[in-house]
Amino acid sequence: MNRLSFILLLCTIASAANAQKITRNFQDVTLSDALKYIQTQTTNYDITFIYNELEDFRVTTHIQNKSIPEALDQIVGFYPVRVVKSGTNEIYVECIHKTDRHLTGTIIDEQGQPVAYANVAILNPADSTLLSGGVSNESGYFAVPYEQNRVLVRFSYVGYKTIYRLCEKSVLGTIRMKPDNYTLNGVVVQGERPKVVLQGNSLMMNVEGTVMERMGTAEDVLTRVPMIAKRGEGYEILGKGTPLIYLNNRKLTDLNELRNIQSDFIRSVEVIQNPGARYDASVNAVIIIRTKRAAGEGLGVEQSSWSRSGRGYANNERINLTYRTGGLELFANLFGAYNKRWVVASLNRLSLPIHCG
């Protein structure tokens, strides 16, 4: 009798667990409607959101046997939307960049097929500084919050020619991208386009075996990964801010190391938009660079030099030394500078009368 009761208890638990799993194909529906559907499928969670705030964001994705939190992460994707769990059963979904304006449109390729995960960067027309940005979803649709009346929009994705559009209206319609071959050091580089996969709240781009292997260094690779933008000497996840960057399982403390990692040494790059409990609560996003084998062992040397001339001459030299073995890491920086300034002097001639007597 006890055994029968135990089996019935297990069946009840399994049935309850299965009832909280989501399998659903969303095809071009609003994010608000997708959230309403998920709410009908659960009794364990209360999902709170503002309908009009999320209506411009549209969802095209297939959810297969996912838990409620996993399903929410997947439908939110890489929109500037935050999913916050409070207590045991409250979930809040809200837009991070609150504005009445959303730049919307659909990106397709030369054959009319959707281009998923293309970067959409909104720039200041005056100086091309980055204002905001996002990516297209699986159907090529994008919705990016913005505030300015007139903006410059940059559409980019590896393997396609970059497109610039000066926009004064929010609805752009269809953007058609054309294929591009990269020319590096005078050589035309052709190869397979990298595959991008959305896994829960992270985006994974493969590098190994694709044209990305020929980009140069890890710096060049990162600027071509969806959601990543270069800002000054650092990097930004569009809509999320400054990320932590990891090389395999090691956090990078000096971004200059990226210059020493060749692109053909990289296996994949992962972008995590909502880091979990593994990371500090203040961390908004994480980039993980995974290499083909353990990287960075032994001695590493980086030398950089720059000079200028004008009203003088200046030359600067810097050498970065790194040594790694096991868990030990040693760093040293050597810096030298030589400066010489030209001095312009004027000589005034003084004439004195000479009298001879």
Side-chain angles (χ1 to χ4, degrees):
M1 187 68 180
N2 289 337
R3 183 178 179 184
L4 178 60
S5 299
F6 180 71
I7 293 175
L8 290 175
L9 177 61
L10 288 179
C11 291
T12 302
I13 294 173
S15 177
N18 288 332
Q20 299 300 314
K21 295 289 186 177
I22 300 290
T23 295
R24 178 78 172 184
N25 186 45
F26 292 103
Q27 188 66 38
D28 195 30
V29 301
T30 68
L31 178 55
S32 299
D33 287 339
L35 291 174
K36 285 173 61 180
Y37 172 80
I38 291 180
Q39 179 65 86
T40 65
Q41 302 302 301
T42 178
T43 57
N44 291 346
Y45 296 99
D46 290 324
I47 304 172
T48 303
F49 63 95
I50 300 175
Y51 191 94
N52 293 339
E53 186 178 271
L54 307 177
E55 196 172 6
D56 282 345
F57 302 117
R58 305 194 70 84
V59 177
T60 297
T61 191
H62 178 68
I63 298 176
Q64 182 66 41
N65 199 34
K66 295 289 183 68
S67 67
I68 298 301
E70 290 172 339
L72 290 176
D73 283 338
Q74 185 169 330
I75 67 169
V76 164
F78 274 78
Y79 285 128
V81 175
R82 177 169 49 202
V83 179
V84 179
K85 186 177 179 183
S86 177
T88 57
N89 61 355
E90 292 286 340
I91 297 179
Y92 297 92
V93 182
E94 62 175 343
C95 184
I96 298 172
H97 187 169
K98 299 181 187 297
T99 176
D100 293 332
R101 287 181 176 165
H102 292 91
L103 193 75
T104 62
T106 302
I107 304 175
I108 61 174
D109 63 13
E110 70 280 10
Q111 298 176 345
Q113 298 300 310
V115 178
Y117 312 119
N119 270 339
V120 181
I122 297 183
L123 314 174
N124 188 333
D127 55 11
S128 297
T129 55
L130 181 67
L131 300 176
S132 64
V135 296
S136 56
N137 67 10
E138 294 177 41
S139 65
Y141 175 83
F142 60 89
V144 182
Y146 75 109
E147 298 175 359
Q148 291 71 16
N149 293 325
R150 191 167 179 259
V151 294
L152 180 64
V153 187
R154 182 182 65 213
F155 303 93
S156 61
Y157 189 73
V158 63
Y160 294 95
K161 294 180 179 178
T162 300
I163 297 174
Y164 288 88
R165 291 280 179 89
L166 193 61
C167 302
E168 295 181 347
K169 59 181 182 179
S170 60
V171 181
L172 298 186
T174 302
I175 306 297
R176 185 182 294 269
M177 303 192 78
K178 297 180 180 180
D180 188 23
N181 292 325
Y182 288 97
T183 301
L184 299 175
N185 299 323
V187 178
V188 176
V189 178
Q190 293 179 317
E192 180 185 351
R193 291 172 186 162
K195 293 181 177 130
V196 178
V197 179
L198 189 64
Q199 300 175 339
N201 66 339
S202 69
L203 181 146
M204 181 80 70
M205 172 179 258
N206 71 307
V207 175
E208 186 176 9
T210 74
V211 68
M212 298 281 278
E213 283 190 327
R214 303 288 298 277
M215 289 293 104
T217 67
E219 281 190 326
D220 302 306
V221 170
L222 288 185
T223 58
R224 291 169 172 85
V225 175
M227 291 301 301
I228 300 178
K230 189 80 182 289
R231 186 185 285 272
E233 295 300 316
Y235 296 88
E236 178 177 314
I237 303 298
L238 298 175
K240 291 292 184 179
T242 304
L244 293 180
I245 301 180
Y246 282 79
L247 178 61
N248 296 316
N249 295 319
R250 180 174 62 85
K251 183 171 74 172
L252 292 184
T253 57
D254 183 0
L255 295 184
N256 288 319
E257 287 191 60
L258 296 173
R259 302 173 187 171
N260 299 328
I261 305 171
Q262 296 302 306
S263 55
D264 60 358
F265 193 67
I266 299 173
R267 187 174 79 247
S268 65
V269 177
E270 182 179 6
V271 181
I272 305 174
Q273 68 157 352
N274 288 314
R278 176 183 171 188
Y279 305 95
D280 187 87
S282 62
V283 177
N284 294 320
V286 174
I287 297 173
I288 303 177
I289 302 171
R290 294 185 175 88
T291 59
K292 297 177 183 178
R293 57 188 181 276
E297 292 292 321
L299 178 66
V301 180
E302 177 198 2
Q303 180 181 6
S304 59
S305 174
W306 64 98
S307 61
R308 70 176 185 273
S309 61
R311 292 187 175 181
Y313 176 77
N315 184 70
N316 300 276
E317 301 281 346
R318 184 176 70 182
I319 299 177
N320 295 330
L321 302 174
T322 60
Y323 180 77
R324 300 187 187 90
T325 177
L328 176 66
E329 297 186 11
L330 301 175
F331 300 89
N333 296 308
L334 303 176
F335 180 81
Y338 171 78
N339 295 278
K340 187 172 184 180
R341 185 175 180 82
W342 312 126
V343 178
V344 179
S346 61
L347 176 64
N348 295 322
R349 179 177 296 176
L350 178 64
S351 299
L352 296 175
I354 300 177
H355 299 277
C356 299

